[in-house]
Amino acid sequence: MGYIFGPTWFYGIDYIFDFVSVIVGLLIAYFSYRIYKYTSQKKYIYFSASFFLVALSFVCKILATIPVYSKELKVETVGLVTVTSEIIKKVGWVSQFGISIARLVTIFAFLLLVLVALKIKDKKIIVLLGYLLIISTTLVSASYTVFHLTLLIMMSILFLNYRHNYKKMKSFNSKMVMSSFFVLAISQVFFIFEGVAQQFYVVGESIQLIGYLVLLFAMIKMLIKK
Amino acid sequence: MNERRTKIEIINDILKAIYEKGGRIKPTHLLYKSNLSYKKMLEYLSELIQKEMVKEDVFKGKKGYAITDKGIHYIQEFKKIKEFSDSFGL
């Protein structure tokens, strides 16, 4: 299975980047849930759930990579070769399982977001997409390339949808939302190539952070609106 | 031609109509102000009563509706809710 975490100097820094994404995800989920409480419209609870899952996927990723990063430290500091190799084997399995869960949650989160954004209500289409999701996630667990390619396609669809919305609304915040998904889609392109050079992971994480910061900026503008 | 109002806009219009009338309103006046059919207005009012944003009230011996603190809070929050909905195309 392919798991790439970038260069060692970047270990831990990506936690901070991912933590920002967690905050943004939770903020949007919370505000959408509040609107649901007022309106009882299901689209808001689904929208809230999708961003909650986005936040959860980043938490899963952080938790899953902690053993990988600490494993790296153990290799450097502990001199008992036999014991160290046993620890690596155990930790590797936990991390692989955790990252697979994080990927599944991410795919499910963005699929839900696509369904809500495109206002897909036809149960036949939802069942078909669900089936394709199961098929693709089987592949996703085997390849980070397929995982990021799937995300790239979903984020591109979301970008096109929000571009259409921006053309209709012509508001600053709708422009920010559109821009954020464009940036998030671009970040996936770099993640796809992280196998070529570890630096792509750093660039991908940095661009992804910018995408979520743009979304955070839009949310702050919405929340302080008088 | 006016675009169809969304649910959050209709709720805001109902609550604003009550609020602008000093917090209490007669059903006939609300019907006129909300620009809804009688049946639709009752459906919305039933939901708003259930959500404790509006309560049934009697004033000057007649049945009416009064806005609650939660309803006033919705009016204050409406701009944010609308901005959020519009920005994400919901």
Side-chain angles (χ1 to χ4, degrees):
Chain A
M1 287 194 199
Y3 296 108
I4 292 162
F5 307 106
T8 47
W9 63 264
F10 197 59
Y11 285 10
I13 298 171
D14 54 349
Y15 285 166
I16 301 163
F17 287 18
D18 291 344
F19 185 70
V20 173
S21 311
V22 173
I23 298 294
V24 177
L26 289 179
L27 183 69
I28 297 172
Y30 170 71
F31 194 68
S32 190
Y33 179 74
R34 265 182 60 193
I35 300 177
Y36 168 73
K37 293 295 274 180
Y38 275 129
T39 62
S40 298
Q41 283 184 281
K42 282 181 182 171
K43 63 182 176 184
Y44 292 107
I45 194 76
Y46 293 144
F47 194 73
S48 172
S50 66
F51 273 97
F52 177 76
L53 288 173
V54 168
L56 184 67
S57 70
F58 280 105
V59 171
C60 289
K61 189 197 158 198
I62 291 169
L63 293 176
T65 49
I66 286 172
V68 177
Y69 293 176
S70 49
K71 176 196 82 176
E72 194 70 25
L73 290 174
K74 276 170 192 158
V75 171
E76 284 170 8
T77 52
V78 181
L80 300 167
V81 178
T82 322
V83 177
T84 312
S85 65
E86 269 181 27
I87 291 168
I88 290 167
K89 204 176 175 185
K90 247 183 187 173
V91 164
W93 181 84
V94 172
S95 292
Q96 281 183 13
F97 181 72
I99 291 164
S100 293
I101 294 292
R103 286 178 180 178
L104 276 171
V105 175
T106 309
I107 292 286
F108 191 70
F110 281 99
L111 181 80
L112 191 57
L113 194 55
V114 168
L115 293 176
V116 177
L118 301 186
K119 298 180 174 71
I120 298 170
K121 288 175 185 168
D122 191 328
K123 283 178 184 161
K124 292 189 283 289
I125 295 172
I126 294 170
V127 169
L128 177 68
L129 286 172
Y131 171 72
L132 291 173
L133 173 78
I134 294 165
I135 299 289
S136 63
T137 44
T138 312
L139 293 167
V140 159
S141 62
S143 165
Y144 64 87
T145 314
V146 177
F147 169 68
H148 290 299
L149 190 65
T150 310
L151 280 184
L152 171 65
I153 291 165
M154 288 202 279
M155 283 175 182
S156 301
I157 290 169
L158 287 168
F159 160 68
L160 291 173
N161 179 68
Y162 290 131
R163 191 182 69 159
H164 176 73
N165 184 55
Y166 166 66
K167 282 181 178 174
K168 196 172 128 194
M169 293 298 166
K170 295 272 180 212
S171 70
F172 178 78
N173 282 329
S174 61
K175 191 178 184 178
M176 288 290 106
V177 170
M178 174 195 72
S179 307
S180 69
F181 278 91
F182 176 73
V183 175
L184 288 174
I186 295 294
S187 72
Q188 295 305 318
V189 176
F190 285 92
F191 285 131
I192 288 169
F193 293 105
E194 65 190 16
V196 178
Q198 288 184 324
Q199 279 68 25
F200 280 114
Y201 176 80
V202 179
V203 179
E205 278 280 322
S206 306
I207 294 173
Q208 183 174 256
L209 174 70
I210 293 166
Y212 280 106
L213 283 175
V214 173
L215 210 47
L216 178 65
F217 181 67
M219 275 306 291
I220 291 168
K221 287 274 288 175
M222 287 176 216
L223 295 176
I224 59 167
K225 197 168 180 77
K226 296 266 175 181
Chain B
M1 208 171 104
N2 288 335
E3 272 191 46
R4 260 184 91 206
R5 287 180 295 171
T6 61
K7 190 176 177 180
I8 57 167
E9 285 169 333
I10 295 170
I11 291 172
N12 184 61
D13 288 347
I14 292 172
L15 293 172
K16 241 171 101 178
I18 306 172
Y19 185 73
E20 283 169 359
K21 267 285 179 185
R24 294 196 297 191
I25 199 165
K26 290 177 193 170
T28 46
H29 204 97
L30 184 59
L31 185 65
Y32 166 73
K33 282 273 186 183
S34 63
N35 202 18
L36 291 166
S37 69
Y38 184 67
K39 195 184 162 202
K40 270 281 164 199
M41 185 190 79
L42 288 182
E43 274 176 28
Y44 273 101
L45 279 172
S46 164
E47 192 181 325
L48 291 174
I49 290 166
Q50 198 193 334
K51 289 182 178 302
E52 297 172 343
M53 287 198 254
V54 168
K55 60 181 179 185
E56 284 181 306
D57 199 14
V58 177
F59 58 102
K60 293 175 189 170
K62 285 180 181 173
K63 189 187 163 189
Y65 297 98
I67 192 167
T68 63
D69 288 343
K70 206 174 165 187
I72 294 168
H73 190 244
Y74 180 92
I75 297 172
Q76 290 162 348
E77 290 282 292
F78 174 72
K79 275 185 184 173
K80 291 174 192 170
I81 293 172
K82 177 104 173 60
E83 187 68 34
F84 181 85
S85 284
D86 289 349
S87 301
F88 285 100
L90 293 170

